[in-house]
Amino acid sequence: MSKIDADTLLPSEHVQRAVTAGQVSQLHRGNPYAEEGDTFDIDGETFEVVAVTERTLGDLTDEDARAEGSEDLDAYRERLDRAHDDFEWDDDATVFRHRFEHVE
């Protein structure tokens, strides 16, 4: 367990604002950027990484998409297409789900 910089896990200020607003509670990334038990701060609020799970893009559900701030999985896919040049959805691609919670 260690304290990490929020920028390490959360790729933009927009995502960080969504986390503090309670709109985002997990993030899938191509690599593990944190370990379970790590903490990070955003604007004086502390969050703990409660789980890091290896998955594939094909495992993602509408529930996952909503936890990442999208309306559903189709909207999530569209967001990834806009955010990443040369992105191609591959159901077999490995991703890592980072789940986090606000620490009181």
Side-chain angles (χ1 to χ4, degrees):
M1 291 191 256
S2 61
K3 185 169 242 24
I4 62 171
D5 189 319
D7 294 336
T8 300
L9 177 59
L10 307 173
S12 70
E13 224 176 276
H14 172 76
V15 173
Q16 291 180 22
R17 284 192 307 271
V19 169
T20 59
Q23 299 165 336
V24 172
S25 60
Q26 71 180 30
L27 198 65
H28 283 82
R29 303 288 308 267
N31 294 297
Y33 285 89
E35 295 181 2
E36 189 172 317
D38 286 351
T39 59
F40 58 90
D41 293 332
I42 304 171
D43 296 332
E45 295 184 54
T46 300
F47 296 84
E48 180 180 350
V49 177
V50 295
V52 178
T53 311
E54 184 175 337
R55 309 175 78 200
T56 66
L57 284 176
D59 293 332
L60 274 65
T61 65
D62 284 335
E63 183 178 339
D64 288 312
R66 285 189 290 276
E68 294 197 32
S70 291
E71 182 178 315
D72 58 24
L73 192 55
D74 287 336
Y76 180 74
R77 286 180 179 180
E78 290 174 18
R79 191 174 88 200
L80 290 179
D81 283 337
R82 286 191 311 271
H84 302 284
D85 294 335
D86 301 322
F87 177 78
E88 187 174 321
W89 187 276
D90 176 358
D91 280 345
D92 296 323
T94 299
V95 291
F96 293 85
R97 177 177 56 191
H98 302 78
R99 287 186 41 243
F100 37 85
E101 297 176 352
H102 185 257
V103 176
E104 297 295 325

